[in-house]
mmCIF file of all heavy atoms in Angstrom:
data_model
loop_
_atom_site.group_PDB
_atom_site.id
_atom_site.type_symbol
_atom_site.label_atom_id
_atom_site.label_comp_id
_atom_site.label_asym_id
_atom_site.label_seq_id
_atom_site.Cartn_x
_atom_site.Cartn_y
_atom_site.Cartn_z
ATOM 1 N N PRO B 221 3.514 -5.184 7.193
ATOM 2 C CA PRO B 221 3.698 -5.971 8.415
ATOM 3 C C PRO B 221 2.449 -6.047 9.293
ATOM 4 O O PRO B 221 2.340 -6.930 10.132
ATOM 5 C CB PRO B 221 4.828 -5.242 9.138
ATOM 6 C CG PRO B 221 4.743 -3.846 8.650
ATOM 7 C CD PRO B 221 4.297 -3.958 7.218
ATOM 8 N N ARG B 222 1.523 -5.139 9.077
ATOM 9 C CA ARG B 222 0.283 -5.142 9.852
ATOM 10 C C ARG B 222 -0.927 -5.311 8.932
ATOM 11 O O ARG B 222 -1.962 -4.686 9.115
ATOM 12 C CB ARG B 222 0.201 -3.849 10.676
ATOM 13 C CG ARG B 222 1.291 -3.792 11.762
ATOM 14 C CD ARG B 222 1.454 -2.426 12.381
ATOM 15 N NE ARG B 222 1.949 -1.402 11.453
ATOM 16 C CZ ARG B 222 3.229 -1.262 11.071
ATOM 17 N NH1 ARG B 222 4.142 -2.082 11.521
ATOM 18 N NH2 ARG B 222 3.584 -0.310 10.245
ATOM 19 N N ALA B 223 -0.800 -6.199 7.963
ATOM 20 C CA ALA B 223 -1.883 -6.446 7.003
ATOM 21 C C ALA B 223 -3.148 -6.932 7.698
ATOM 22 O O ALA B 223 -4.262 -6.724 7.190
ATOM 23 C CB ALA B 223 -1.442 -7.446 5.948
ATOM 24 N N ASP B 224 -3.009 -7.535 8.857
ATOM 25 C CA ASP B 224 -4.182 -8.037 9.578
ATOM 26 C C ASP B 224 -5.058 -6.921 10.138
ATOM 27 O O ASP B 224 -6.173 -7.175 10.566
ATOM 28 C CB ASP B 224 -3.772 -8.994 10.692
ATOM 29 C CG ASP B 224 -2.862 -8.354 11.728
ATOM 30 O OD1 ASP B 224 -2.121 -7.409 11.399
ATOM 31 O OD2 ASP B 224 -2.893 -8.819 12.878
ATOM 32 N N THR B 225 -4.589 -5.679 10.072
ATOM 33 C CA THR B 225 -5.409 -4.544 10.522
ATOM 34 C C THR B 225 -6.136 -3.859 9.366
ATOM 35 O O THR B 225 -6.906 -2.927 9.586
ATOM 36 C CB THR B 225 -4.566 -3.495 11.280
ATOM 37 O OG1 THR B 225 -3.624 -2.907 10.379
ATOM 38 C CG2 THR B 225 -3.857 -4.119 12.464
ATOM 39 N N CYS B 226 -5.910 -4.326 8.129
ATOM 40 C CA CYS B 226 -6.524 -3.720 6.942
ATOM 41 C C CYS B 226 -8.038 -3.928 6.962
ATOM 42 O O CYS B 226 -8.525 -5.039 7.164
ATOM 43 C CB CYS B 226 -5.936 -4.345 5.685
ATOM 44 S SG CYS B 226 -6.641 -3.721 4.150
ATOM 45 N N LEU B 227 -8.773 -2.836 6.717
ATOM 46 C CA LEU B 227 -10.235 -2.906 6.627
ATOM 47 C C LEU B 227 -10.730 -2.612 5.216
ATOM 48 O O LEU B 227 -11.890 -2.282 5.013
ATOM 49 C CB LEU B 227 -10.877 -1.943 7.625
ATOM 50 C CG LEU B 227 -10.561 -2.186 9.101
ATOM 51 C CD1 LEU B 227 -11.366 -1.240 9.977
ATOM 52 C CD2 LEU B 227 -10.829 -3.618 9.499
ATOM 53 N N ALA B 228 -9.834 -2.736 4.240
ATOM 54 C CA ALA B 228 -10.167 -2.624 2.811
ATOM 55 C C ALA B 228 -10.745 -1.274 2.425
ATOM 56 O O ALA B 228 -11.679 -1.201 1.638
ATOM 57 C CB ALA B 228 -11.100 -3.757 2.385
ATOM 58 N N CYS B 229 -10.159 -0.207 2.944
ATOM 59 C CA CYS B 229 -10.669 1.117 2.571
ATOM 60 C C CYS B 229 -10.280 1.489 1.145
ATOM 61 O O CYS B 229 -10.922 2.318 0.530
ATOM 62 C CB CYS B 229 -10.204 2.184 3.563
ATOM 63 S SG CYS B 229 -8.442 2.500 3.582
ATOM 64 N N GLY B 230 -9.208 0.891 0.614
ATOM 65 C CA GLY B 230 -8.802 1.128 -0.768
ATOM 66 C C GLY B 230 -8.015 2.397 -0.985
ATOM 67 O O GLY B 230 -7.644 2.707 -2.121
ATOM 68 N N LEU B 231 -7.730 3.154 0.058
ATOM 69 C CA LEU B 231 -6.992 4.408 -0.102
ATOM 70 C C LEU B 231 -5.596 4.166 -0.660
ATOM 71 O O LEU B 231 -5.118 4.918 -1.511
ATOM 72 C CB LEU B 231 -6.898 5.148 1.236
ATOM 73 C CG LEU B 231 -8.220 5.567 1.866
ATOM 74 C CD1 LEU B 231 -7.972 6.243 3.212
ATOM 75 C CD2 LEU B 231 -8.993 6.485 0.943
ATOM 76 N N CYS B 232 -4.941 3.113 -0.201
ATOM 77 C CA CYS B 232 -3.586 2.812 -0.665
ATOM 78 C C CYS B 232 -3.560 2.532 -2.162
ATOM 79 O O CYS B 232 -2.639 2.944 -2.866
ATOM 80 C CB CYS B 232 -3.004 1.645 0.111
ATOM 81 S SG CYS B 232 -3.979 0.115 0.005
ATOM 82 N N VAL B 233 -4.568 1.837 -2.651
ATOM 83 C CA VAL B 233 -4.613 1.443 -4.062
ATOM 84 C C VAL B 233 -4.648 2.669 -4.966
ATOM 85 O O VAL B 233 -3.886 2.763 -5.924
ATOM 86 C CB VAL B 233 -5.825 0.528 -4.340
ATOM 87 C CG1 VAL B 233 -5.939 0.211 -5.824
ATOM 88 C CG2 VAL B 233 -5.732 -0.750 -3.528
ATOM 89 N N VAL B 234 -5.503 3.627 -4.655
ATOM 90 C CA VAL B 234 -5.616 4.802 -5.526
ATOM 91 C C VAL B 234 -4.538 5.846 -5.244
ATOM 92 O O VAL B 234 -4.240 6.661 -6.105
ATOM 93 C CB VAL B 234 -7.028 5.435 -5.458
ATOM 94 C CG1 VAL B 234 -8.056 4.476 -6.018
ATOM 95 C CG2 VAL B 234 -7.396 5.857 -4.058
#
Side-chain angles (χ1 to χ4, degrees):
R222 293 167 294 282
D224 60 332
T225 65
C226 178
L227 299 185
C229 66
L231 298 178
C232 58
V233 175
V234 295

